[in-house]
Amino acid sequence: MNQPGDTYIYDDGSAPTCAVDGAVSSPVPLDGIRGKLTCKAPLAPYTWFKTGGPADWLFEPADMDDLKTFLERLGGEIPVMALGLGSNMIVRDGGVPGVVVRLGKSFAKVEHTGELELTCGGGASGILVASTARDLGIAGLEFLRGIPGTVGGFVRMNGGAYGREVADVLVDCAVILHDGSFITLNAAELEYSYRHSALPEGAIVVSARFHGRPGEPADIGAEMDRIAAAREASQPLRTKTGGSTFKNPEGHKAWQLVDQAGCRGLTLGGAQVSEKHTNFLINTGTATSADIEGLGELVRDKVYAATGVSLEWEIQRVGRP
């Protein structure tokens, strides 16, 4: 595990040069591909922090078959990364090598497929899943209302909130690997732990099945409202932020450790530790991704010096510095 003060070495992850650089127009033949492929695509608009460089390639597949065909043609030779709502991510200023896959509307459906069971596309939001469950009288999924992300993202990281996590409700998930092969993994095979799974690198969760328990829609709705109100009261939701920055260490709350180390309101460039919730970093308007990540590392150093506890990043940091 990285410790405060460690030197970080980044893999540039070379990918095919884009047409704008005077070379190839696509990493694979595009005949029969129905989705949209964009070269040097800006990613900042797709992240909550609104910072970061472009993707070498951004692919927005038309549907699952389109995604599978595209990845088969890549053949696992180029790095692949899935992008959801960009809520728990820092895209570094040098951009992301390889292909970034962004799942659109065809992957955002939520269907009632069994007693107390929903099948949800990898691009469906947590609030859509929770709301659909409420309308069907399926309890136990209310906490997904409090996760600002998509099914693919919170299945990968075992997302959780308000005492529950994905491991508690997942039946299985359908996954396309970075070479285009298709597999189904159940919850046990994902080897879930706190904010971590054994999902292979470059794998894209295209759907997942969740189970709940019987409940009354009115009671489920009331719990969802309570979660929404609690988030609004305690978190800087109306800022350019990225969600919880650090994992809670065993026996501690990350925000309390950050506060104890005197980091509330701490700034670096255009980045700031939230005054409202110290486990959130904020882009005050002029921050670069380097400012945000650098501030996070500064906070880790200060917390380690004050408490001896080494905070681990919860936010995913991707790309070239």
Side-chain angles (χ1 to χ4, degrees), residues 44-207:
Y46 300 127
T47 70
W48 278 28
F49 278 122
K50 304 303 180 190
T51 64
D56 286 359
W57 301 94
L58 175 66
F59 183 56
E60 298 168 276
D63 51 35
M64 196 178 310
D65 288 340
D66 197 41
L67 175 59
K68 190 172 187 299
T69 299
F70 182 84
L71 294 179
E72 284 174 348
R73 291 182 186 179
L74 287 182
E77 297 299 318
I78 299 173
V80 174
M81 185 194 86
L83 176 65
L85 295 183
S87 57
N88 195 247
M89 176 179 290
I90 296 172
V91 173
R92 294 185 175 118
D93 299 309
V96 179
V99 176
V100 173
V101 175
R102 188 164 182 260
L103 303 182
K105 290 183 179 179
S106 64
F107 294 88
K109 299 173 183 176
V110 176
E111 300 176 309
H112 188 201
T113 52
E115 187 177 1
L116 303 177
E117 179 184 283
L118 296 178
T119 297
C120 310
S125 67
I127 189 170
L128 177 60
V129 177
S131 298
T132 304
R134 174 200 61 206
D135 295 345
L136 292 168
I138 300 175
L141 304 182
E142 297 91 341
F143 74 99
L144 296 176
R145 168 68 178 84
I147 301 179
T150 58
V151 166
F154 53 70
V155 166
R156 170 177 287 279
M157 68 173 292
N158 191 23
Y162 303 96
R164 300 273 283 168
E165 58 187 12
V166 169
D168 298 326
V169 297
L170 182 74
V171 178
D172 56 28
C173 60
V175 175
I176 296 182
L177 302 180
H178 73 305
D179 63 357
S181 54
F182 184 92
I183 60 173
T184 299
L185 299 171
N186 61 39
E189 291 172 310
L190 288 171
E191 300 175 11
Y192 275 137
S193 57
Y194 176 58
R195 302 297 179 267
H196 176 77
S197 76
L199 197 69
E201 190 70 26
I204 299 173
V205 176
V206 291
S207 69

Side-chain angles (χ1 to χ4, degrees), residues 8-74:
Y8 293 86
I9 300 174
Y10 302 101
D11 180 3
D12 187 70
S14 58
T17 309
C18 292
V20 292
D21 295 328
V24 297
S25 59
S26 168
V28 296
L30 293 181
D31 54 296
I33 298 296
R34 293 167 287 115
K36 181 181 178 182
L37 181 67
T38 307
C39 181
K40 293 296 183 187
L43 294 180
Y46 300 127
T47 70
W48 278 28
F49 278 122
K50 304 303 180 190
T51 64
D56 286 359
W57 301 94
L58 175 66
F59 183 56
E60 298 168 276
D63 51 35
M64 196 178 310
D65 288 340
D66 197 41
L67 175 59
K68 190 172 187 299
T69 299
F70 182 84
L71 294 179
E72 284 174 348
R73 291 182 186 179
L74 287 182

Side-chain angles (χ1 to χ4, degrees), residues 205-287:
V205 176
V206 291
S207 69
R209 289 195 298 159
F210 300 112
H211 66 88
R213 62 179 187 273
E216 291 297 325
D219 296 336
I220 296 169
E223 175 63 8
M224 289 174 60
D225 290 344
R226 184 193 70 80
I227 289 171
R231 291 185 70 231
E232 182 70 34
S234 65
Q235 299 175 12
L237 300 181
R238 302 185 188 281
T239 63
K240 297 174 183 175
T241 186
S244 295
T245 305
F246 304 110
K247 300 177 182 179
N248 289 321
E250 187 70 32
H252 299 278
K253 294 290 187 182
W255 76 266
Q256 290 177 334
L257 294 172
V258 175
D259 210 19
Q260 183 180 337
C263 296
R264 184 181 294 269
L266 184 67
T267 61
L268 179 67
Q272 181 183 36
V273 176
S274 171
E275 297 270 6
K276 189 172 187 178
H277 192 311
T278 53
N279 198 27
F280 283 66
L281 302 181
I282 293 171
N283 173 8
T284 62
T286 61

